[in-house]
Amino acid sequence: MKTKIAKIIALQIAAVMALGLFAGCGQNDDGTTPTTTANNGSAVEENNNTETRPNRVIFGSTTGISGDLGNAWWTNNADDKVVRDLINDYSTISFNKSGELVLNGTVTKSFESVINDDGSKTFTVGINEGLVYNNGEPITAADYVAYLLVEFSPQALEAGAAVAPDLVVGGPEYQSGEVNYISGLRLLDEYTYAITISSDYIPYYFDESYASLSPLYLPMYASADLTVKDDGQGAYLDGGSLVAEEIDAARWTYEGRVSAGPYQLVSLDIAASEAVVEINPNYAGNFEGQKPSIEQIVLVKSVVETEFDAIKTGSIDLLNALTDGNEINTALDLVEEGGYEVCAFERSGYGRIMFQCDFGPTQFAAVRQAVAYLLDRTEFANQFCKGHGSVVHGPYGLSMWMYKDSEELFANEINTYAYNPAKAVELLEADGWVLDANGNPYESGVRYKEVTAEEAGDYPLNVTLSDGRVLMPLHIMWSSSENNPVSELLAVMLANGQQTADAGMEIEQAVMSFDDLLGYLYRDSSQGEKYGVPTYGMYNLAADFLPTYDQSYYYTSDPDLVALGYNMEYLFDDELDRLSMDMVYGVDPGDTATYLDYWQKFILRWNELLPSIPLYSNVNHTLYADWLEGYEQNSVWDFQQAILYASIPSAE
Amino acid sequence: MKKYVLKRILYMVFVLVIVSFLMYCLYNLIPNDPARAELEGIKKTLKPEQYEVMYQQLRDEMGLDDPILVRYGRWIGVLPEKRTGEFNGILQGNMGYSSFFKVDVTEVIPSRMVNTIFINVFVTILALAITIPLGIVCAVRKRGKFDNIVQVFTIIGYSIPIYIIALLFIWLFGVTLRWFPVMGIKTPGSNYTGLRAFLDQLYYLALPILVMTFASLGGMTRYVRTAMIDVLGMDYIRTARAKGLREKVVVYSHAWRNALLPVITVIIGWFLSIFSGSVIVENTFGLNGMGNLYIIGLNNHDYELVLAVQMFYTVISLVGALIMDLSYGLVDPRVRVDK
């Protein structure tokens, strides 16, 4: 009997595996099943270029699809955005591979602008004839006008869309329901529309982006038979009303989704976190007329622990934008083994030490500069990025055209703050950090500086001597989030570094949750009184830049704006504020020379004041099977753009 | 019996109210500004004036400036919503709004729950089907070679963290032998239906099912073994053997039925756990289940989602405890639950 039971148990274990294997058998008789997940065979064999394979790429990302395909009015996650971008295009203005705004010639026949007497600016846009949706229905100017009429509608607001209607003349009145038309939006004829931007937003260097619209297929957003009309006072929707629930439902419509992009949605399975898109046969091309050649793209969720096993076994063909140094090294090992390629590109942003510059020691530029000299940033970037990072010296990314045009200037004029503890001490002494806690000349320990009442503020670590003099210690309070490898490395290389102590500086680390950190950063007393009190002068955070580089308002002195989270560095410098504003509001669109001039001045001023210290800028790597050819990605040219130019020559 | 059940249900309601209030307060103590978080992604594309209007609008809609009791009342559904003036809380079936998924929580949970149940049903059935006979054999062959080997393996299986088991299985069955896929829930790009879809899903979930089954063998096997050893040492077993009954009858009719009593609560607990996802396994294999959802909620400060998941598990736990108590009374006549 005992032997019999043992046999039964053994059989059950075997049955589990057999059932799974049985379920896996017979999967190769269907074209939709990946040949690469078949049993046996090495990674190299599976990626052999001579093998015929499906004309398909399986894109893996750790974010995972949430299924929100709503327009930009909703902030959908990175993977949802990939799907959204793959199935939608035909905006009148696009970004090119360098991150510059360009006219989308496939869509835009004409693009004219005129400044009106009241300071507003009207863009008149002509659309090419012959464009169609993936279902074959024609695209006209009415579809572009419909985009704004839905976006600015009271119902979209009710559905939770984050939009700014005051951009367009008549937008606020339309959104409030006061009128049923947008006076600044005109449907001029079947293939021409006009949009008038409010004078509050003009001039603006990137103002063409305001006039960029995409077509919107109205029947997907409303059950009523709506049409766009214009009787002379502005465009409006005729034939019924929009409904908030229907607008919201359009975000989650997958079956038969009508779109106008290089691909069309075939399926989206939230439970499996998978989206499948296939070539849209009606697509006329991107702004350069480029059409995709890869028939199908499958977007799946990957996990860090198994993503390389997944790519080795063919469950994934492409791992997008790896940033972690260890992951990149594993990817490079795979490339060395053969069968894979990587595309490396600079991140348009960086990890940084951020100072709050209106209280305590960090209010003094010399202290911030001394911190920079006390940290070997090159070594920091090497260690943190495992050799796949670089160091920048201002708020820019190495892939930006502005940086590329300024390399020579920066080589001579930008301060790199190369590791130099002696220079740090020199700066501190020149700034008055020459006393000890008793007001005697400094010899060892923490340095002190005699400060004015205004400089002293309420900094709790200040010392008041019997003669009334107020001394501020060179003691910086640092807020760092928990489980943060950057914080750990900073603690070792800076806060606890001997060079810091030798310079007479103390950096006290307080580890806290990220929510706590944000509370202190924003000085948000609504979350608790303690947050309203300036406490931490130093944080470690990250910053990323959009292709439309715009730092306006981020150095404002307006207390209302500061309270809203603008100027989180609390650096109130008129020149920096003026440069950041003039860069975009004082330059005519297209005047790249003046824009560049402001940009360079802004960067140099920033570099001098150093409200933040850039620590590292990652070199991201996308790993993919080597049968994918022509794949070139960068920080402003994502997978969804790059894949249009790639191909699989060995595809069946 | 009815009186007892009603009394327990009343207790459950009371506990639920207390737990929900405590949880709601705890999550609201976390310094967090969901309105700011909501707009952070588009802040750089907005002018300050636009940002301020939208920020205040969102704060108002979310009721962030209202006292916590008012917010709790709205969340539960005993106070009307600020915007619509309607009662629309948990009592009305509204579990809240997921700030991460941008939909109602009730729309997020079902698809994840299906995945979790799919996996757990297999794991529970397989684990019980293996561990119960294994525990019995070990008890019957106490201190024999087979028992010793099983004891060693169950201790090892019990001691190794499940993520280590998962990685080992992935390496062995996924990467080296290539028997099973290492991630995902179905063939990428497939659109199977019916039995084909079921088998495809089973093939993709075989590895996580194996991992979870393997990881759960140790505890239950040892539990059954101990219960059986206790019973096999009883006088009535010796009497049964002395009467000349066949060993099979002694073990299954006399010993196992009595050994089942302490095991039954654990078994029922297992069946109730089919609703709860394994955080580690689901994350390791990239599965969209309840465990994965919970982590997503926590990582993204989606507290309404987390609260809803926790409330769901609180209800499951309370109902489970009631079922266990009732079943104990049913299988053991010595226990009377109506007293």
Side-chain angles (χ1 to χ4, degrees):
Chain A
M1 182 203 70
K2 292 164 190 171
T3 317
K4 203 173 168 186
I5 293 175
K7 279 180 184 169
I8 291 170
I9 294 163
L11 269 173
Q12 282 171 342
I13 295 172
V16 181
M17 303 184 77
L19 192 63
L21 282 171
F22 165 72
C25 289
Q27 301 255 339
N28 294 328
D29 59 351
D30 188 310
T32 59
T33 309
T35 54
T36 44
T37 52
N39 303 339
N40 306 320
S42 70
V44 177
E45 282 166 356
E46 286 183 337
N47 290 290
N48 191 320
N49 272 323
T50 58
E51 191 181 324
T52 304
R53 61 187 70 257
N55 195 0
R56 177 190 62 200
V57 168
I58 304 176
F59 169 97
S61 165
T62 52
T63 309
I65 290 159
S66 78
D68 183 358
L69 301 183
N71 290 300
W73 323 327
W74 287 276
T75 47
N76 36 18
N77 79 32
D79 281 3
D80 290 336
K81 187 175 181 301
V82 172
V83 181
R84 200 183 76 197
D85 289 350
L86 284 170
I87 63 172
N88 293 296
D89 190 19
Y90 289 169
S91 58
T92 48
I93 305 280
S94 297
F95 286 105
N96 66 12
K97 205 173 177 179
S98 306
E100 292 167 299
L101 285 170
V102 291
L103 274 185
N104 184 346
T106 305
V107 172
T108 313
K109 189 178 181 182
S110 60
F111 191 90
E112 290 159 6
S113 62
V114 60
I115 301 280
N116 303 310
D117 293 342
D118 61 358
S120 63
K121 189 169 184 178
T122 299
F123 295 88
T124 305
V125 184
I127 304 298
N128 284 323
E129 294 181 32
L131 299 173
V132 292
Y133 288 106
N134 63 325
N135 66 354
E137 289 188 38
I139 294 172
T140 66
D143 297 280
Y144 287 83
V145 171
Y147 184 93
L148 221 54
L149 287 170
V150 175
E151 182 185 3
F152 286 177
S153 67
Q155 293 81 9
L157 184 68
E158 192 186 333
V163 296
D166 55 337
L167 178 75
V168 178
V169 171
E173 293 81 2
Y174 174 71
Q175 191 184 57
S176 67
E178 215 174 297
V179 295
N180 71 339
Y181 58 88
I182 301 176
S183 56
L185 183 66
R186 302 295 312 279
L187 179 63
L188 300 177
D189 62 43
E190 197 175 354
Y191 292 101
T192 312
Y193 72 86
I195 180 169
T196 302
I197 305 300
S198 163
S199 58
D200 294 341
Y201 292 83
I202 301 294
Y204 181 58
Y205 183 68
F206 300 108
D207 68 4
E208 286 176 348
S209 64
Y210 291 151
S212 179
L213 295 179
S214 302
L216 181 139
Y217 186 68
L218 260 180
M220 205 165 71
Y221 287 80
S223 58
D225 187 19
L226 299 179
T227 49
V228 177
K229 288 196 172 171
D230 188 339
D231 299 334
Q233 57 183 359
Y236 66 96
L237 289 171
D238 187 45
S241 301
L242 292 164
V243 178
E245 287 74 21
E246 290 178 355
I247 293 174
D248 189 58
R251 298 161 61 193
W252 314 94
T253 300
Y254 309 135
E255 205 176 328
R257 188 175 184 89
V258 180
S259 58
Y263 288 87
Q264 54 188 342
L265 188 67
V266 173
S267 66
L268 196 149
D269 185 344
I270 296 175
S273 197
E274 178 198 275
V276 181
V277 297
E278 285 179 359
I279 283 183
N280 169 12
N282 294 321
Y283 183 57
N286 70 356
F287 68 98
E288 293 179 325
Q290 181 69 33
K291 296 179 186 180
S293 71
I294 296 169
E295 185 61 37
Q296 188 185 62
I297 294 171
V298 182
L299 298 102
V300 296
K301 184 182 178 183
S302 61
V303 280
V304 173
E305 290 85 352
T306 57
E307 61 191 2
F308 292 105
D309 292 332
I311 202 164
K312 274 195 263 185
T313 55
S315 296
I316 288 173
D317 300 324
L318 183 146
L319 279 173
N320 191 39
L322 301 170
T323 56
D324 180 81
N326 290 324
E327 287 183 64
I328 292 169
N329 284 334
T330 309
L332 293 175
D333 288 344
L334 276 181
V335 172
E336 216 165 273
E337 284 173 26
Y340 303 94
E341 295 282 348
V342 285
C343 175
F345 55 96
E346 307 275 0
R347 168 186 174 185
S348 186
Y350 52 64
R352 60 174 169 160
I353 289 174
M354 197 199 88
F355 297 110
Q356 292 205 326
C357 311
D358 64 333
F359 76 101
T362 51
Q363 69 184 291
F364 302 103
V367 171
R368 304 193 293 267
Q369 290 166 344
V371 174
Y373 280 118
L374 288 171
L375 177 64
D376 187 344
R377 292 187 301 141
T378 308
E379 181 59 21
F380 186 95
N382 265 332
Q383 284 206 27
F384 183 72
C385 302
K386 306 284 189 291
H388 306 291
S390 52
V391 181
V392 294
H393 311 294
Y396 55 83
L398 298 177
S399 58
M400 289 177 180
W401 68 267
M402 297 87 83
Y403 169 75
K404 286 173 181 164
D405 282 9
S406 310
E407 277 185 87
E408 203 176 317
L409 175 82
F410 286 178
N412 299 321
E413 295 196 22
I414 209 159
N415 189 341
T416 60
Y417 295 99
Y419 180 61
N420 189 344
K423 180 76 178 171
V425 172
E426 189 184 308
L427 275 171
L428 291 170
E429 286 177 348
D431 197 49
W433 300 90
V434 291
L435 304 174
D436 65 13
N438 300 314
N440 301 318
Y442 173 80
E443 284 181 1
S444 63
V446 174
R447 291 174 181 273
Y448 284 73
K449 173 182 178 172
E450 186 181 339
V451 290
T452 63
E454 191 186 351
E455 288 168 340
D458 295 323
Y459 197 58
L461 303 176
N462 287 340
V463 174
T464 305
L465 300 178
S466 54
D467 59 7
R469 287 186 297 159
V470 180
L471 302 185
M472 180 179 283
L474 190 51
H475 184 149
I476 300 171
M477 298 295 289
W478 167 30
S479 162
S480 71
S481 56
E482 56 202 356
N483 300 323
N484 185 335
V486 177
S487 306
E488 288 161 17
L489 193 56
L490 264 181
V492 172
M493 291 187 65
L494 178 67
N496 303 327
Q498 189 56 45
Q499 80 283 11
T500 306
D502 290 347
M505 182 184 288
E506 183 176 350
I507 298 176
E508 184 181 336
Q509 181 184 17
V511 180
M512 58 188 73
S513 72
F514 194 64
D515 288 323
D516 241 359
L517 183 150
L518 287 179
Y520 284 112
L521 184 70
Y522 287 116
R523 299 184 186 173
D524 189 352
S525 54
S526 70
Q527 303 293 318
E529 277 182 29
K530 64 177 182 180
Y531 299 116
V533 181
T535 307
Y536 297 99
M538 178 173 144
Y539 300 80
N540 54 294
L541 296 163
D544 285 294
F545 307 110
L546 297 173
T548 47
Y549 189 89
D550 177 357
Q551 295 286 308
S552 60
Y553 298 102
Y554 281 87
Y555 296 96
T556 179
S557 304
D558 183 334
D560 293 336
L561 296 183
V562 173
L564 275 172
Y566 290 88
N567 199 354
M568 284 190 300
E569 289 150 328
Y570 294 84
L571 177 64
F572 306 117
D573 180 73
D574 290 342
E575 189 182 345
L576 198 64
D577 184 28
R578 183 183 59 76
L579 287 168
S580 71
M581 296 298 287
D582 286 351
M583 194 194 314
V584 287
Y585 292 109
V587 183
D588 289 328
D591 185 359
T592 50
T594 312
Y595 176 81
L596 182 64
D597 185 50
Y598 275 121
W599 185 85
Q600 289 168 342
K601 286 175 181 160
F602 170 80
I603 297 293
L604 290 174
R605 180 67 181 161
W606 189 99
N607 174 259
E608 182 191 343
L609 298 175
L610 216 59
S612 291
I613 301 174
L615 293 174
Y616 62 92
S617 185
N618 308 76
V619 178
N620 296 333
H621 287 64
T622 291
L623 174 71
Y624 56 92
D626 67 355
W627 41 257
L628 181 68
E629 292 189 2
Y631 186 81
E632 290 177 19
Q633 182 179 0
N634 66 40
S635 61
V636 292
W637 193 251
D638 291 326
F639 168 82
Q640 49 270 44
Q641 286 91 34
I643 200 68
L644 302 194
Y645 294 80
S647 63
I648 307 174
S650 56
E652 58 196 13
Chain B
M1 181 76 158
K2 275 183 190 167
K3 198 176 161 190
Y4 173 79
V5 174
L6 274 174
K7 204 162 80 177
R8 286 288 303 265
I9 290 173
L10 274 177
Y11 284 152
M12 280 165 56
V13 172
F14 181 70
V15 171
L16 256 182
V17 171
I18 300 286
V19 169
S20 66
F21 182 69
L22 287 176
M23 287 197 308
Y24 190 84
C25 290
L26 275 175
Y27 280 110
N28 277 276
L29 278 176
I30 299 171
N32 180 34
D33 187 344
R36 195 192 294 278
E38 181 77 17
L39 292 176
E40 201 59 36
I42 55 168
K43 186 175 181 181
K44 282 189 174 173
T45 64
L46 299 172
K47 286 193 76 168
E49 297 81 6
Q50 296 171 319
Y51 176 78
E52 183 170 15
V53 169
M54 288 162 71
Y55 175 71
Q56 291 304 338
Q57 200 172 296
L58 263 178
R59 279 196 73 85
D60 193 48
E61 273 177 23
M62 292 175 171
L64 297 179
D65 298 320
D66 295 327
I68 193 160
L69 270 176
V70 174
R71 281 185 279 156
Y72 173 74
R74 287 194 191 119
W75 179 66
I76 282 290
V78 295
L79 288 176
E81 262 192 354
K82 200 169 185 180
R83 189 165 56 84
T84 59
E86 292 171 3
F87 293 90
N88 187 21
I90 285 183
L91 292 175
Q92 289 77 30
N94 176 12
M95 301 290 282
Y97 183 78
S98 165
S99 58
F100 178 75
F101 291 100
K102 309 277 191 304
V103 286
D104 288 342
V105 168
T106 46
E107 290 181 37
V108 178
I109 289 179
S111 58
R112 270 86 179 170
M113 186 63 81
V114 168
N115 285 342
T116 290
I117 290 175
F118 187 94
I119 296 168
N120 286 347
V121 163
F122 277 97
V123 171
T124 305
I125 292 171
L126 286 170
L128 289 177
I130 292 169
T131 54
I132 289 175
L134 197 60
I136 293 172
V137 173
C138 290
V140 172
R141 295 181 174 187
K142 191 174 72 170
R143 297 201 187 108
K145 199 183 273 180
F146 181 77
D147 180 41
N148 287 339
I149 291 170
V150 172
Q151 290 311 300
V152 169
F153 275 101
T154 51
I155 284 186
I156 291 172
Y158 200 64
S159 313
I160 299 177
I162 195 166
Y163 63 88
I164 301 284
I165 297 173
L167 293 177
L168 281 173
F169 273 49
I170 286 171
W171 172 78
L172 180 63
F173 297 115
V175 180
T176 308
L177 298 173
R178 306 269 172 125
W179 287 359
F180 302 111
V182 297
M183 53 158 276
I185 202 165
K186 62 172 198 163
T187 302
S190 68
N191 50 2
Y192 303 137
T193 53
L195 181 64
R196 191 83 192 269
F198 174 78
L199 289 176
D200 185 54
Q201 194 169 1
L202 194 60
Y203 172 55
Y204 270 81
L205 293 178
L207 208 44
I209 288 173
L210 270 177
V211 168
M212 287 174 74
T213 305
F214 186 83
S216 58
L217 294 182
M220 191 56 142
T221 304
R222 295 178 73 82
Y223 203 76
V224 172
R225 178 182 176 273
T226 308
M228 276 296 286
I229 286 171
D230 286 347
V231 172
L232 286 171
M234 293 288 179
D235 289 343
Y236 59 84
I237 297 293
R238 194 177 304 123
T239 307
R241 281 184 177 137
K243 273 174 23 185
L245 292 177
R246 284 188 299 145
E247 186 63 15
K248 197 175 176 183
V249 177
V250 172
V251 170
Y252 288 108
S253 295
H254 292 261
W256 170 238
R257 282 173 69 176
N258 285 292
L260 189 65
L261 299 178
V263 177
I264 193 81
T265 48
V266 182
I267 292 175
I268 291 172
W270 270 33
F271 275 102
L272 290 169
S273 71
I274 62 171
F275 296 102
S276 57
S278 164
V279 171
I280 294 169
V281 171
E282 287 179 5
N283 279 293
T284 306
F285 288 93
L287 307 175
N288 271 354
M290 292 302 289
N292 179 261
L293 184 68
Y294 189 60
I295 288 294
I296 288 175
L298 285 173
N299 283 342
N300 295 283
H301 312 286
D302 193 348
Y303 296 131
E304 289 207 18
L305 176 64
V306 175
L307 272 171
V309 173
Q310 286 192 337
M311 284 301 290
F312 177 75
Y313 288 132
T314 306
V315 172
I316 291 283
S317 303
L318 291 172
V319 172
L322 178 62
I323 293 173
M324 273 190 257
D325 287 351
L326 293 177
S327 62
Y328 209 76
L330 287 174
V331 295
D332 189 350
R334 292 168 298 181
V335 179
R336 305 289 292 271
V337 293
D338 55 346
K339 279 190 179 172

